[in-house]
Amino acid sequence: MKEQALKNIEAGYSTYSKIALQIWKYAEVGYKETQSSALLQQTLREQGFDVQAGAADIPTAFIATYGSGKPVIGLLAEYDALPGLSQQATPEKSPIAGQDAGHGCGHNLFGTASVAAGIELKKLLAAGKIKGTVRVYGTPAEEGGSGKVYMVRAGLFKDVDAVVHWHPGSENRAMMNNYLANSSAKFRFHGISAHAAMAPERGRSALDAVEAMNHMVNLMREHIPQETRIHYVITSGGKAPNVVPDYAEVYYYVRHPKKDDVKQIFERVVKAAEGAALGTGTTMDYEIIGGTHDLLLNETLARALQRNLNQVGGVIYTAQEADFGRKIQASLGFTVPPLTAAATVGKFETREGGGSTDVGDVSYVVPTVGLEAATWIPGTPAHSWQAVACDGTEVGTKGMMVAAKTMALTAIDMFSMPDLLLQAKNEFKNDVGSYTYKPLLGDRKPALNYRD
């Protein structure tokens, strides 16, 4: 059954490559992925899935279902791009004219691979080789928009037995790293405009308040747990130097390995904003944009996935792809692994994580497992123009197929090995303990315009 699944997925390479590269060209940011979501939905409908669009009151979210009864196995699919990362599929930095966004995290590949795995599982269900239900969850706005959090909050995973996901990367391995919990918000300051030279005393600068807040938060870094990560960008700071800005906005992320610590540190950031407003004679309000849990690791499922990844193997480059890879590596400016590292599978090990993902919220309500596949030239960092370039080539789509095959094989184990799911659920219950899930973003509606 597994050997046939591998052959079937490989036979669909041309189709899945076209889908992934089309989404790469769309390059739609969070909650704006209208064309990307529609393409994946249509692909699943054509394969016999029942597709529910607009899941959790999010226009670009969907749930595609095939089969009936237990077990219910979920596959996560992402497809949002990142602003400011426009790039052609070349090994030299070259933005696409008239385009701002780019797939710097490979979500064009992410969504496509999950759909490919889902379609193969559907074929097995239709043939009666496995029994149960497969669901592909179309999850928008992972990049800061917390799309999955709203889907979890809406109870869309409450009857799922296990979830499989993956992420593009520069190596092949079972995902055993602890992602950080994250709270994000936009702080908006309101002041009084005036002529900056003729009547500065009549003005109250909203930009001064933003700068005061940033300064206080930067001083705070010495007095918070060292694992904390805080980042910000000034998204609005005035229009002309000779006008005292009456409006300014700064967008903050606060991260920490533990969700409870994130809450406490975020409240201190809010206090800094309040103090900045008081000290500059302005007013302040803020909007929670996103909030994600840390990622619960399920070793039971991860070891099963590792076995399947070992069977699938890594990525072999052609001479042309290797030449592309050498040029990408030369542009990085630091020591990189050999190109042949993409052909290998990493050993099973737990690592410390530095990023955040809304998969974390899923992992607190259902046993969850993931992998990283080498869609980028070894050494390539995420959120870089080099990653965007790889995601638009065969380098990316070859890694995508590693992910699709590994997800499908792991899900086959879940359908056909009841003891595997039972052991995974027991581990999950032990890890969650007495904790009752509560989203860090509260009861706010989906932040559909957070990229505006």
Side-chain angles (χ1 to χ4, degrees), residues 344-378:
T344 64
V345 173
K347 65 179 181 180
F348 189 86
E349 60 181 358
T350 302
R351 301 183 186 179
E352 293 299 321
S356 304
T357 175
D358 53 10
V359 178
D361 287 62
V362 177
S363 76
Y364 268 87
V365 296
V366 59
T368 302
V369 67
L371 78 145
E372 178 183 337
T375 60
W376 307 328
I377 294 298

PDB file of all heavy atoms in Angstrom, residues 344-378:
ATOM      1  N   THR A 344      20.101  13.802   2.250  1.00  0.00           N
ATOM      2  CA  THR A 344      20.138  12.998   3.463  1.00  0.00           C
ATOM      3  C   THR A 344      18.940  13.293   4.354  1.00  0.00           C
ATOM      4  O   THR A 344      18.258  14.312   4.204  1.00  0.00           O
ATOM      5  CB  THR A 344      21.431  13.261   4.254  1.00  0.00           C
ATOM      6  OG1 THR A 344      21.438  14.633   4.694  1.00  0.00           O
ATOM      7  CG2 THR A 344      22.660  13.018   3.386  1.00  0.00           C
ATOM      8  N   VAL A 345      18.701  12.400   5.301  1.00  0.00           N
ATOM      9  CA  VAL A 345      17.651  12.585   6.315  1.00  0.00           C
ATOM     10  C   VAL A 345      18.331  12.774   7.661  1.00  0.00           C
ATOM     11  O   VAL A 345      19.175  11.963   8.058  1.00  0.00           O
ATOM     12  CB  VAL A 345      16.697  11.379   6.360  1.00  0.00           C
ATOM     13  CG1 VAL A 345      15.722  11.514   7.531  1.00  0.00           C
ATOM     14  CG2 VAL A 345      15.939  11.257   5.038  1.00  0.00           C
ATOM     15  N   GLY A 346      17.992  13.833   8.348  1.00  0.00           N
ATOM     16  CA  GLY A 346      18.606  14.133   9.633  1.00  0.00           C
ATOM     17  C   GLY A 346      18.223  13.131  10.700  1.00  0.00           C
ATOM     18  O   GLY A 346      17.171  12.486  10.634  1.00  0.00           O
ATOM     19  N   LYS A 347      19.075  13.020  11.684  1.00  0.00           N
ATOM     20  CA  LYS A 347      18.794  12.095  12.783  1.00  0.00           C
ATOM     21  C   LYS A 347      17.655  12.617  13.643  1.00  0.00           C
ATOM     22  O   LYS A 347      17.359  13.814  13.664  1.00  0.00           O
ATOM     23  CB  LYS A 347      20.047  11.875  13.634  1.00  0.00           C
ATOM     24  CG  LYS A 347      20.536  13.106  14.379  1.00  0.00           C
ATOM     25  CD  LYS A 347      21.781  12.776  15.218  1.00  0.00           C
ATOM     26  CE  LYS A 347      22.266  14.004  15.988  1.00  0.00           C
ATOM     27  NZ  LYS A 347      23.465  13.691  16.807  1.00  0.00           N
ATOM     28  N   PHE A 348      17.045  11.732  14.371  1.00  0.00           N
ATOM     29  CA  PHE A 348      15.929  12.091  15.241  1.00  0.00           C
ATOM     30  C   PHE A 348      16.483  12.747  16.498  1.00  0.00           C
ATOM     31  O   PHE A 348      17.221  12.128  17.272  1.00  0.00           O
ATOM     32  CB  PHE A 348      15.134  10.844  15.616  1.00  0.00           C
ATOM     33  CG  PHE A 348      13.847  11.135  16.324  1.00  0.00           C
ATOM     34  CD1 PHE A 348      12.694  11.390  15.616  1.00  0.00           C
ATOM     35  CD2 PHE A 348      13.793  11.161  17.707  1.00  0.00           C
ATOM     36  CE1 PHE A 348      11.498  11.658  16.273  1.00  0.00           C
ATOM     37  CE2 PHE A 348      12.608  11.427  18.366  1.00  0.00           C
ATOM     38  CZ  PHE A 348      11.455  11.680  17.654  1.00  0.00           C
ATOM     39  N   GLU A 349      16.134  14.020  16.715  1.00  0.00           N
ATOM     40  CA  GLU A 349      16.629  14.739  17.880  1.00  0.00           C
ATOM     41  C   GLU A 349      15.719  15.913  18.190  1.00  0.00           C
ATOM     42  O   GLU A 349      15.048  16.448  17.315  1.00  0.00           O
ATOM     43  CB  GLU A 349      18.053  15.249  17.651  1.00  0.00           C
ATOM     44  CG  GLU A 349      18.182  16.214  16.478  1.00  0.00           C
ATOM     45  CD  GLU A 349      19.603  16.680  16.256  1.00  0.00           C
ATOM     46  OE1 GLU A 349      20.483  16.284  17.035  1.00  0.00           O
ATOM     47  OE2 GLU A 349      19.843  17.440  15.298  1.00  0.00           O
ATOM     48  N   THR A 350      15.718  16.323  19.462  1.00  0.00           N
ATOM     49  CA  THR A 350      14.960  17.488  19.893  1.00  0.00           C
ATOM     50  C   THR A 350      15.843  18.722  19.825  1.00  0.00           C
ATOM     51  O   THR A 350      16.997  18.689  20.227  1.00  0.00           O
ATOM     52  CB  THR A 350      14.447  17.306  21.337  1.00  0.00           C
ATOM     53  OG1 THR A 350      13.643  16.125  21.395  1.00  0.00           O
ATOM     54  CG2 THR A 350      13.603  18.498  21.769  1.00  0.00           C
ATOM     55  N   ARG A 351      15.298  19.809  19.284  1.00  0.00           N
ATOM     56  CA  ARG A 351      16.046  21.059  19.149  1.00  0.00           C
ATOM     57  C   ARG A 351      15.258  22.204  19.777  1.00  0.00           C
ATOM     58  O   ARG A 351      14.030  22.154  19.891  1.00  0.00           O
ATOM     59  CB  ARG A 351      16.301  21.391  17.680  1.00  0.00           C
ATOM     60  CG  ARG A 351      17.084  20.352  16.905  1.00  0.00           C
ATOM     61  CD  ARG A 351      17.324  20.842  15.501  1.00  0.00           C
ATOM     62  NE  ARG A 351      17.947  19.837  14.651  1.00  0.00           N
ATOM     63  CZ  ARG A 351      18.244  20.028  13.369  1.00  0.00           C
ATOM     64  NH1 ARG A 351      17.960  21.187  12.803  1.00  0.00           N
ATOM     65  NH2 ARG A 351      18.806  19.070  12.659  1.00  0.00           N
ATOM     66  N   GLU A 352      15.983  23.247  20.120  1.00  0.00           N
ATOM     67  CA  GLU A 352      15.333  24.472  20.564  1.00  0.00           C
ATOM     68  C   GLU A 352      14.854  25.250  19.343  1.00  0.00           C
ATOM     69  O   GLU A 352      15.569  25.350  18.342  1.00  0.00           O
ATOM     70  CB  GLU A 352      16.296  25.328  21.386  1.00  0.00           C
ATOM     71  CG  GLU A 352      16.681  24.711  22.713  1.00  0.00           C
ATOM     72  CD  GLU A 352      15.491  24.480  23.625  1.00  0.00           C
ATOM     73  OE1 GLU A 352      14.595  25.344  23.651  1.00  0.00           O
ATOM     74  OE2 GLU A 352      15.451  23.432  24.291  1.00  0.00           O
ATOM     75  N   GLY A 353      13.646  25.790  19.417  1.00  0.00           N
ATOM     76  CA  GLY A 353      13.103  26.550  18.296  1.00  0.00           C
ATOM     77  C   GLY A 353      13.186  28.038  18.535  1.00  0.00           C
ATOM     78  O   GLY A 353      13.285  28.502  19.671  1.00  0.00           O
ATOM     79  N   GLY A 354      13.149  28.814  17.454  1.00  0.00           N
ATOM     80  CA  GLY A 354      13.212  30.260  17.595  1.00  0.00           C
ATOM     81  C   GLY A 354      12.017  30.978  17.014  1.00  0.00           C
ATOM     82  O   GLY A 354      11.772  32.146  17.304  1.00  0.00           O
ATOM     83  N   GLY A 355      11.247  30.303  16.165  1.00  0.00           N
ATOM     84  CA  GLY A 355      10.093  30.919  15.542  1.00  0.00           C
ATOM     85  C   GLY A 355       8.805  30.589  16.273  1.00  0.00           C
ATOM     86  O   GLY A 355       8.806  29.996  17.349  1.00  0.00           O
ATOM     87  N   SER A 356       7.709  30.993  15.660  1.00  0.00           N
ATOM     88  CA  SER A 356       6.380  30.711  16.216  1.00  0.00           C
ATOM     89  C   SER A 356       5.485  30.209  15.089  1.00  0.00           C
ATOM     90  O   SER A 356       5.721  30.511  13.918  1.00  0.00           O
ATOM     91  CB  SER A 356       5.770  31.970  16.831  1.00  0.00           C
ATOM     92  OG  SER A 356       6.601  32.526  17.811  1.00  0.00           O
ATOM     93  N   THR A 357       4.465  29.472  15.449  1.00  0.00           N
ATOM     94  CA  THR A 357       3.507  28.977  14.461  1.00  0.00           C
ATOM     95  C   THR A 357       2.157  28.754  15.105  1.00  0.00           C
ATOM     96  O   THR A 357       2.068  28.331  16.268  1.00  0.00           O
ATOM     97  CB  THR A 357       3.992  27.659  13.822  1.00  0.00           C
ATOM     98  OG1 THR A 357       2.957  27.154  12.958  1.00  0.00           O
ATOM     99  CG2 THR A 357       4.332  26.605  14.870  1.00  0.00           C
ATOM    100  N   ASP A 358       1.098  29.025  14.354  1.00  0.00           N
ATOM    101  CA  ASP A 358      -0.240  28.774  14.880  1.00  0.00           C
ATOM    102  C   ASP A 358      -0.585  27.282  14.885  1.00  0.00           C
ATOM    103  O   ASP A 358      -1.639  26.883  15.387  1.00  0.00           O
ATOM    104  CB  ASP A 358      -1.299  29.582  14.128  1.00  0.00           C
ATOM    105  CG  ASP A 358      -1.257  29.389  12.619  1.00  0.00           C
ATOM    106  OD1 ASP A 358      -0.537  28.488  12.144  1.00  0.00           O
ATOM    107  OD2 ASP A 358      -1.946  30.147  11.902  1.00  0.00           O
ATOM    108  N   VAL A 359       0.320  26.441  14.377  1.00  0.00           N
ATOM    109  CA  VAL A 359       0.160  24.998  14.565  1.00  0.00           C
ATOM    110  C   VAL A 359       0.203  24.672  16.062  1.00  0.00           C
ATOM    111  O   VAL A 359      -0.371  23.682  16.512  1.00  0.00           O
ATOM    112  CB  VAL A 359       1.261  24.215  13.819  1.00  0.00           C
ATOM    113  CG1 VAL A 359       1.121  22.708  14.062  1.00  0.00           C
ATOM    114  CG2 VAL A 359       1.208  24.507  12.323  1.00  0.00           C
ATOM    115  N   GLY A 360       0.870  25.536  16.838  1.00  0.00           N
ATOM    116  CA  GLY A 360       0.936  25.334  18.278  1.00  0.00           C
ATOM    117  C   GLY A 360      -0.435  25.201  18.908  1.00  0.00           C
ATOM    118  O   GLY A 360      -0.653  24.352  19.788  1.00  0.00           O
ATOM    119  N   ASP A 361      -1.385  26.014  18.472  1.00  0.00           N
ATOM    120  CA  ASP A 361      -2.736  25.932  19.033  1.00  0.00           C
ATOM    121  C   ASP A 361      -3.404  24.619  18.663  1.00  0.00           C
ATOM    122  O   ASP A 361      -4.123  24.034  19.475  1.00  0.00           O
ATOM    123  CB  ASP A 361      -3.560  27.120  18.549  1.00  0.00           C
ATOM    124  CG  ASP A 361      -3.138  28.413  19.231  1.00  0.00           C
ATOM    125  OD1 ASP A 361      -1.976  28.822  19.064  1.00  0.00           O
ATOM    126  OD2 ASP A 361      -3.941  29.001  19.961  1.00  0.00           O
ATOM    127  N   VAL A 362      -3.167  24.151  17.443  1.00  0.00           N
ATOM    128  CA  VAL A 362      -3.700  22.848  17.043  1.00  0.00           C
ATOM    129  C   VAL A 362      -3.132  21.752  17.949  1.00  0.00           C
ATOM    130  O   VAL A 362      -3.850  20.850  18.390  1.00  0.00           O
ATOM    131  CB  VAL A 362      -3.358  22.556  15.567  1.00  0.00           C
ATOM    132  CG1 VAL A 362      -3.853  21.163  15.168  1.00  0.00           C
ATOM    133  CG2 VAL A 362      -3.956  23.610  14.644  1.00  0.00           C
ATOM    134  N   SER A 363      -1.835  21.862  18.258  1.00  0.00           N
ATOM    135  CA  SER A 363      -1.165  20.818  19.048  1.00  0.00           C
ATOM    136  C   SER A 363      -1.669  20.737  20.480  1.00  0.00           C
ATOM    137  O   SER A 363      -1.409  19.750  21.173  1.00  0.00           O
ATOM    138  CB  SER A 363       0.354  21.043  19.047  1.00  0.00           C
ATOM    139  OG  SER A 363       0.739  22.107  19.902  1.00  0.00           O
ATOM    140  N   TYR A 364      -2.391  21.766  20.955  1.00  0.00           N
ATOM    141  CA  TYR A 364      -2.957  21.740  22.299  1.00  0.00           C
ATOM    142  C   TYR A 364      -4.362  21.149  22.341  1.00  0.00           C
ATOM    143  O   TYR A 364      -4.937  20.992  23.420  1.00  0.00           O
ATOM    144  CB  TYR A 364      -2.966  23.146  22.907  1.00  0.00           C
ATOM    145  CG  TYR A 364      -1.717  23.443  23.708  1.00  0.00           C
ATOM    146  CD1 TYR A 364      -0.578  23.960  23.092  1.00  0.00           C
ATOM    147  CD2 TYR A 364      -1.659  23.192  25.074  1.00  0.00           C
ATOM    148  CE1 TYR A 364       0.579  24.220  23.823  1.00  0.00           C
ATOM    149  CE2 TYR A 364      -0.513  23.451  25.803  1.00  0.00           C
ATOM    150  CZ  TYR A 364       0.606  23.964  25.170  1.00  0.00           C
ATOM    151  OH  TYR A 364       1.745  24.212  25.893  1.00  0.00           O
ATOM    152  N   VAL A 365      -4.922  20.800  21.168  1.00  0.00           N
ATOM    153  CA  VAL A 365      -6.266  20.206  21.162  1.00  0.00           C
ATOM    154  C   VAL A 365      -6.300  18.840  20.489  1.00  0.00           C
ATOM    155  O   VAL A 365      -7.298  18.116  20.615  1.00  0.00           O
ATOM    156  CB  VAL A 365      -7.296  21.138  20.484  1.00  0.00           C
ATOM    157  CG1 VAL A 365      -7.444  22.431  21.279  1.00  0.00           C
ATOM    158  CG2 VAL A 365      -6.920  21.438  19.044  1.00  0.00           C
ATOM    159  N   VAL A 366      -5.215  18.449  19.789  1.00  0.00           N
ATOM    160  CA  VAL A 366      -5.182  17.153  19.118  1.00  0.00           C
ATOM    161  C   VAL A 366      -3.720  16.739  18.945  1.00  0.00           C
ATOM    162  O   VAL A 366      -2.850  17.596  18.721  1.00  0.00           O
ATOM    163  CB  VAL A 366      -5.902  17.229  17.749  1.00  0.00           C
ATOM    164  CG1 VAL A 366      -5.270  18.261  16.849  1.00  0.00           C
ATOM    165  CG2 VAL A 366      -5.934  15.870  17.060  1.00  0.00           C
ATOM    166  N   PRO A 367      -3.373  15.460  19.059  1.00  0.00           N
ATOM    167  CA  PRO A 367      -1.997  15.029  18.812  1.00  0.00           C
ATOM    168  C   PRO A 367      -1.541  15.465  17.419  1.00  0.00           C
ATOM    169  O   PRO A 367      -2.231  15.222  16.424  1.00  0.00           O
ATOM    170  CB  PRO A 367      -2.088  13.498  18.912  1.00  0.00           C
ATOM    171  CG  PRO A 367      -3.261  13.246  19.802  1.00  0.00           C
ATOM    172  CD  PRO A 367      -4.240  14.328  19.476  1.00  0.00           C
ATOM    173  N   THR A 368      -0.380  16.087  17.364  1.00  0.00           N
ATOM    174  CA  THR A 368       0.089  16.735  16.135  1.00  0.00           C
ATOM    175  C   THR A 368       1.530  16.365  15.859  1.00  0.00           C
ATOM    176  O   THR A 368       2.349  16.298  16.782  1.00  0.00           O
ATOM    177  CB  THR A 368      -0.044  18.266  16.278  1.00  0.00           C
ATOM    178  OG1 THR A 368      -1.409  18.602  16.551  1.00  0.00           O
ATOM    179  CG2 THR A 368       0.394  18.987  15.018  1.00  0.00           C
ATOM    180  N   VAL A 369       1.848  16.150  14.586  1.00  0.00           N
ATOM    181  CA  VAL A 369       3.220  15.805  14.208  1.00  0.00           C
ATOM    182  C   VAL A 369       3.557  16.486  12.884  1.00  0.00           C
ATOM    183  O   VAL A 369       2.686  16.687  12.038  1.00  0.00           O
ATOM    184  CB  VAL A 369       3.394  14.278  14.090  1.00  0.00           C
ATOM    185  CG1 VAL A 369       2.594  13.712  12.928  1.00  0.00           C
ATOM    186  CG2 VAL A 369       4.870  13.902  13.963  1.00  0.00           C
ATOM    187  N   GLY A 370       4.845  16.847  12.729  1.00  0.00           N
ATOM    188  CA  GLY A 370       5.251  17.517  11.505  1.00  0.00           C
ATOM    189  C   GLY A 370       6.653  17.144  11.080  1.00  0.00           C
ATOM    190  O   GLY A 370       7.399  16.495  11.808  1.00  0.00           O
ATOM    191  N   LEU A 371       6.998  17.580   9.871  1.00  0.00           N
ATOM    192  CA  LEU A 371       8.348  17.385   9.373  1.00  0.00           C
ATOM    193  C   LEU A 371       8.813  18.630   8.646  1.00  0.00           C
ATOM    194  O   LEU A 371       8.009  19.497   8.272  1.00  0.00           O
ATOM    195  CB  LEU A 371       8.427  16.191   8.413  1.00  0.00           C
ATOM    196  CG  LEU A 371       7.922  16.403   6.976  1.00  0.00           C
ATOM    197  CD1 LEU A 371       8.782  15.599   5.994  1.00  0.00           C
ATOM    198  CD2 LEU A 371       6.461  15.999   6.841  1.00  0.00           C
ATOM    199  N   GLU A 372      10.121  18.712   8.480  1.00  0.00           N
ATOM    200  CA  GLU A 372      10.739  19.714   7.627  1.00  0.00           C
ATOM    201  C   GLU A 372      11.299  18.989   6.422  1.00  0.00           C
ATOM    202  O   GLU A 372      11.880  17.917   6.552  1.00  0.00           O
ATOM    203  CB  GLU A 372      11.859  20.447   8.369  1.00  0.00           C
ATOM    204  CG  GLU A 372      12.604  21.476   7.537  1.00  0.00           C
ATOM    205  CD  GLU A 372      13.749  22.132   8.303  1.00  0.00           C
ATOM    206  OE1 GLU A 372      13.698  22.132   9.553  1.00  0.00           O
ATOM    207  OE2 GLU A 372      14.698  22.613   7.656  1.00  0.00           O
ATOM    208  N   ALA A 373      11.120  19.562   5.224  1.00  0.00           N
ATOM    209  CA  ALA A 373      11.659  18.969   4.004  1.00  0.00           C
ATOM    210  C   ALA A 373      12.546  19.995   3.301  1.00  0.00           C
ATOM    211  O   ALA A 373      12.294  21.204   3.357  1.00  0.00           O
ATOM    212  CB  ALA A 373      10.536  18.521   3.072  1.00  0.00           C
ATOM    213  N   ALA A 374      13.586  19.494   2.624  1.00  0.00           N
ATOM    214  CA  ALA A 374      14.597  20.364   2.001  1.00  0.00           C
ATOM    215  C   ALA A 374      14.077  20.957   0.697  1.00  0.00           C
ATOM    216  O   ALA A 374      14.367  20.472  -0.403  1.00  0.00           O
ATOM    217  CB  ALA A 374      15.881  19.589   1.772  1.00  0.00           C
ATOM    218  N   THR A 375      13.321  22.023   0.829  1.00  0.00           N
ATOM    219  CA  THR A 375      12.840  22.762  -0.340  1.00  0.00           C
ATOM    220  C   THR A 375      13.777  23.907  -0.699  1.00  0.00           C
ATOM    221  O   THR A 375      13.637  24.510  -1.760  1.00  0.00           O
ATOM    222  CB  THR A 375      11.448  23.346  -0.061  1.00  0.00           C
ATOM    223  OG1 THR A 375      11.533  24.237   1.060  1.00  0.00           O
ATOM    224  CG2 THR A 375      10.449  22.245   0.256  1.00  0.00           C
ATOM    225  N   TRP A 376      14.694  24.237   0.197  1.00  0.00           N
ATOM    226  CA  TRP A 376      15.665  25.298  -0.032  1.00  0.00           C
ATOM    227  C   TRP A 376      17.064  24.700  -0.110  1.00  0.00           C
ATOM    228  O   TRP A 376      17.351  23.676   0.513  1.00  0.00           O
ATOM    229  CB  TRP A 376      15.618  26.343   1.094  1.00  0.00           C
ATOM    230  CG  TRP A 376      14.251  26.890   1.365  1.00  0.00           C
ATOM    231  CD1 TRP A 376      13.246  27.065   0.451  1.00  0.00           C
ATOM    232  CD2 TRP A 376      13.720  27.307   2.627  1.00  0.00           C
ATOM    233  NE1 TRP A 376      12.132  27.566   1.073  1.00  0.00           N
ATOM    234  CE2 TRP A 376      12.385  27.726   2.409  1.00  0.00           C
ATOM    235  CE3 TRP A 376      14.239  27.370   3.912  1.00  0.00           C
ATOM    236  CZ2 TRP A 376      11.569  28.205   3.426  1.00  0.00           C
ATOM    237  CZ3 TRP A 376      13.424  27.853   4.936  1.00  0.00           C
ATOM    238  CH2 TRP A 376      12.113  28.265   4.689  1.00  0.00           C
ATOM    239  N   ILE A 377      17.919  25.363  -0.841  1.00  0.00           N
ATOM    240  CA  ILE A 377      19.316  24.952  -0.905  1.00  0.00           C
ATOM    241  C   ILE A 377      19.892  24.930   0.517  1.00  0.00           C
ATOM    242  O   ILE A 377      19.642  25.855   1.304  1.00  0.00           O
ATOM    243  CB  ILE A 377      20.115  25.926  -1.790  1.00  0.00           C
ATOM    244  CG1 ILE A 377      19.642  25.830  -3.250  1.00  0.00           C
ATOM    245  CG2 ILE A 377      21.609  25.671  -1.683  1.00  0.00           C
ATOM    246  CD1 ILE A 377      19.851  24.481  -3.893  1.00  0.00           C
ATOM    247  N   PRO A 378      20.629  23.879   0.900  1.00  0.00           N
ATOM    248  CA  PRO A 378      21.162  23.796   2.272  1.00  0.00           C
ATOM    249  C   PRO A 378      21.846  25.085   2.716  1.00  0.00           C
ATOM    250  O   PRO A 378      22.667  25.655   1.991  1.00  0.00           O
ATOM    251  CB  PRO A 378      22.160  22.639   2.170  1.00  0.00           C
ATOM    252  CG  PRO A 378      21.564  21.740   1.132  1.00  0.00           C
ATOM    253  CD  PRO A 378      20.967  22.681   0.112  1.00  0.00           C
TER     254      PRO A 378
END
